[in-house]
Amino acid sequence: MSLNRRLPFVTVLSLLGATVLPTPSLHAQPATGTVVLDSAFLAGYRWRNLGPDRGGRSIAVSGVKGRPNEAYFGAVGGGLWKTTDGGEEWASVTDFKITSASVGAVAVSETNPDLVFIGTGETCIRGNILPGDGVYRSRDGGKTWDHVGFRQSHGISKIRIHPTNPDIIFVASFGKYSAPSEERGVFKSTDGGTTWRRVLFRNDQTGAIDIAIDRNHPDVLYATLWEAFRKEYTMSSGGPGSGMFKSTDGGETWTEITRRPGLPQEGVVGRIGVAVSSANSRRVYALVEHAAGGLFRSDDAGASWTLANDNRAIRQRAFYYTHIFADHQNQDVVYIQNTSLFRSSNGGDSTVVIDNGTHGDFHDFWIDPDDPTHLVVGNDGGGAISSNTGGRWTDQEFSTAQFYHAITTAHVPFHVCGSQQDNSTLCLPSTWNASRFGFGRGSFFGGGRQSRSVTEGSMEVAYEAGGGEPGYIAPDPLDVDQFYSGTNNGQYIDKYNRR
C-alpha cells in the first residue's frame, strides 16, 4: 500500500488522532458563558491518522476505457480515490480540493480519459447519510477540480457521458432528502458541463435515480424517476412520481414506459434500475421495486417485457439497492447488486453469486467495454477490481472506514475505540501512525464477520472490543482490558474481556 496517503476529512475527525503542543489559554465570554480556545492553542494541534486501513462504504465506481490499470471509487465519507496500478495502491484525489466528503457518483469519458465527473451525496437513502453539494469536473484525471452545478441537491444519483462526444453529459439528480426541491430530475449539458438544462422532470418530490445510454445508438436513453424521501423518523420509497422513461432524440423528449405490457400494471412503483446491452440494443433490463416486482427483460427496446426473476435475494431492501448492469459483449449476461453480487448468463432467469472474498452490500459496478472479464465494484468495503470475472478481487485497504463513535481508554498510552459502519468495533493505540505502515484487511463481511486482531511485528496494533455496528463502547475505568459494547438496535450488550 502507498505510504503517503492522507485520511479523508470526515474520517480524520472521527478518529481523534491529535498531538497537543502548547498549553491552552481560555477566554470566557461574560455575556454568554461560552469558552473559546485561544487560536495559538488550536494551531498547536496536528491531525494524525491512527487508522485503520479498512475500507468503508462506496456507491460509485468507474474504470477507464483504454487504461486498464486505472479506476476510481467514491467513498461516501472519504472523497474520490484513484488507482493507476490495477488496484494494488489507491490514493485520494479530492482531499482539500472539493467541499463535500461524500462522493456518490462518478463517470469517466470513454474518448477523453482524463475527463472525470463526480456527483456528491448519497442516494442509497439509509438512516445515516451524508449530503453533498453538487457536481465537480476534472479535466486532468483528478489533479484539479471545478464545481459545475447542482449545489442545492443533496444527492447526485448517476452521471453518464456520451460515448463519443465528451461535451454531452447527463446527470440524474435526486434533490433534497426530506423536502420538496426543484433541482430534481435528469439534466443535460452540451458544453462539457458548463451549463445544464433539465430535460426530464415529474414534480418537486420525485428525483432521478438511474440513466442508461445505448452505446450503439447514443441518442437512445433510458432513465428512471423515484419518488422517495428520508426524514429523521421515517422514510418512503415509491409513489405516483416513480417511473421509467425512454428518449430517442438524445434526451430532449421522453416517453414513459412504466406500464408497458409485461410490467406491473397497478400498484405503487418504487425504485427502478435500468440497463441496456451493448451487444444487442433491443435487450433492456429493469429491476423494479413493486409488490409484484423483480428483474424484467425486454427484447424489443422497452416496448414489452417479461418477468425473468422475482427472487427476493436480488430485490430485498430495494430502496438501498436496486442496481443492475448489462454486459457489453453478451446480451444474456447481466449483473444485479444487493447484499451479494449476482451474475446471470441466461438473461436473468437464474443467477450465481460472485462475491469471492470481497466485502458485502453492493452499490455500483463498471464493466470494461473492451474486456468483459475486467470489472470494478463498489460495496460497503470500498472499491475493488477483478480481472477474471469476479474470481478474485483486489484488497480494500484504505482509510475510508466510517466510525459512528469514538472513545478513549485508560491505557497508558491510551487507546482509541469505535464501531465501524458494516463492520466490527475496533481499538487502536493512540501512538500508532497508520500513514507509516500498511494495515491488514481487518474483519470484513462476506458470509458473516471474520474477527481477528491486526499486528505489526510482535505488537498488537488493533483489536475488537465486542459489540458491533453502530454500538456504543464503554471501557471499564478500573480494568483497561474490560469493555461493555452494544450493537444494532440494542440487540445485545457484550461484556468483553480482552485478556
Side-chain angles (χ1 to χ4, degrees):
M1 296 300 299
S2 172
L3 302 185
N4 62 354
R5 292 163 303 174
R6 292 165 295 163
L7 193 63
F9 180 69
V10 170
T11 313
V12 170
L13 296 182
S14 302
L15 290 180
L16 302 180
T19 302
V20 182
L21 299 180
T23 302
S25 173
L26 303 179
H27 300 284
Q29 302 292 323
T32 63
T34 302
V35 176
V36 180
L37 293 178
D38 188 281
S39 60
F41 170 66
L42 294 176
Y45 279 88
R46 296 291 182 270
W47 289 107
R48 174 166 45 86
N49 181 5
L50 301 183
D53 279 349
R54 195 165 83 165
R57 187 166 73 254
S58 172
I59 64 171
V61 298
S62 179
V64 181
K65 187 178 184 298
R67 296 180 182 176
N69 287 328
E70 291 188 17
Y72 298 85
F73 81 86
V76 296
L80 184 72
W81 290 64
K82 180 180 181 179
T83 181
T84 58
D85 59 7
E88 292 303 312
E89 297 185 1
W90 296 82
S92 173
V93 293
T94 52
D95 280 0
F96 313 110
K97 300 176 184 177
I98 69 172
T99 304
S100 176
S102 180
V103 174
V106 58
V108 183
S109 170
E110 293 189 9
T111 53
N112 180 4
D114 287 326
L115 180 63
V116 185
F117 284 82
I118 56 174
T120 58
E122 301 180 56
T123 52
C124 297
I125 53 174
R126 57 185 287 121
N128 38 16
I129 46 180
L130 185 65
D133 68 339
V135 173
Y136 291 81
R137 175 187 62 202
S138 175
R139 299 184 187 274
D140 51 17
K143 295 178 183 177
T144 60
W145 295 90
D146 299 312
H147 190 277
V148 294
F150 304 92
R151 198 174 293 277
Q152 300 305 312
S153 179
H154 284 163
I156 302 299
S157 308
K158 288 289 186 295
I159 302 175
R160 297 290 186 242
I161 303 174
H162 192 286
T164 60
N165 185 350
D167 285 333
I168 300 177
I169 305 103
F170 295 91
V171 164
S173 175
F174 181 83
K176 295 189 182 301
Y177 293 139
S178 59
S181 60
E182 287 298 316
E183 211 162 59
R184 297 187 188 272
V186 176
F187 293 76
K188 179 181 180 180
S189 174
T190 57
D191 56 11
T194 301
T195 61
W196 302 89
R197 291 183 297 112
R198 189 170 63 189
V199 293
L200 178 61
F201 178 73
R202 178 85 87 180
N203 54 51
D204 63 6
Q205 300 180 72
T206 302
I209 197 65
D210 205 0
I211 304 174
I213 300 178
D214 182 350
R215 294 178 67 253
N216 301 315
H217 310 285
D219 281 342
V220 176
L221 298 92
Y222 299 85
T224 60
L225 301 181
W226 184 30
E227 182 176 325
F229 65 81
R230 164 70 76 172
K231 299 186 178 183
E232 298 91 334
Y233 53 89
T234 188
M235 74 155 296
S236 174
S237 178
S242 299
M244 182 163 51
F245 299 80
K246 179 181 180 180
S247 173
T248 58
D249 57 6
E252 296 300 319
T253 61
W254 297 81
T255 300
E256 184 165 5
I257 58 173
T258 312
R259 304 293 186 179
R260 287 293 170 88
L263 292 169
Q265 298 299 299
E266 298 179 348
V268 177
V269 174
R271 182 168 178 156
I272 303 173
V274 63
V276 56
S277 174
S278 301
N280 176 7
S281 295
R282 296 180 64 79
R283 173 62 61 86
V284 187
Y285 294 95
L287 190 60
V288 180
E289 180 187 10
H290 186 276
L295 173 61
F296 292 84
R297 181 178 65 234
S298 173
D299 285 309
D300 52 15
S304 63
W305 299 80
T306 300
L307 177 62
N309 196 322
D310 64 355
N311 188 341
R312 293 299 306 179
I314 66 171
R315 61 189 185 106
Q316 62 181 313
R317 204 181 179 195
F319 76 90
Y320 194 50
Y321 299 108
T322 313
H323 312 298
I324 187 165
F325 305 86
D327 187 84
H328 298 293
Q329 299 185 18
N330 186 335
Q331 67 171 9
D332 290 325
V333 173
V334 61
Y335 295 85
I336 306 104
Q337 292 183 311
N338 205 281
T339 55
S340 295
L341 174 59
F342 298 91
R343 182 180 191 270
S344 174
S345 58
N346 56 9
D349 291 339
S350 62
T351 62
V352 295
V353 173
I354 61 168
D355 296 356
N356 295 327
T358 189
H359 202 97
D361 292 352
F362 293 83
H363 297 290
D364 202 15
F365 201 62
W366 182 84
I367 309 168
D368 192 333
D370 302 323
D371 178 7
T373 69
H374 178 209
L375 311 173
V376 185
V377 75
N379 55 35
D380 276 11
I385 299 172
S386 175
S387 58
N388 61 355
T389 321
R392 177 190 175 277
W393 298 95
T394 54
D395 291 342
Q396 295 170 300
E397 298 175 349
F398 17 73
S399 296
T400 60
Q402 292 180 296
F403 281 84
Y404 289 92
H405 322 285
I407 58 97
T408 57
T409 71
H411 291 89
V412 180
F414 65 88
H415 295 178
V416 183
C417 304
S419 58
Q420 181 182 343
Q421 189 274 328
D422 204 46
N423 219 309
S424 67
T425 58
L426 203 68
C427 300
L428 304 103
S430 59
T431 53
W432 183 250
N433 190 341
S435 64
R436 293 177 55 213
F437 304 96
F439 240 76
R441 290 186 66 184
S443 50
F444 286 151
F445 276 30
R449 288 188 181 90
Q450 300 171 348
S451 301
R452 66 179 180 90
S453 298
V454 180
T455 61
E456 175 69 27
S458 60
M459 181 181 70
E460 185 177 46
V461 172
Y463 59 90
E464 297 181 15
E469 172 201 18
Y472 288 90
I473 304 168
D476 189 326
L478 301 180
D479 184 347
V480 295
D481 288 321
Q482 184 76 61
F483 297 87
Y484 297 86
S485 306
T487 189
N488 268 315
N489 305 319
Q491 292 174 349
Y492 62 82
I493 292 180
D494 277 344
K495 180 179 180 181
Y496 179 78
N497 191 312
R498 183 187 174 201
R499 291 187 298 274

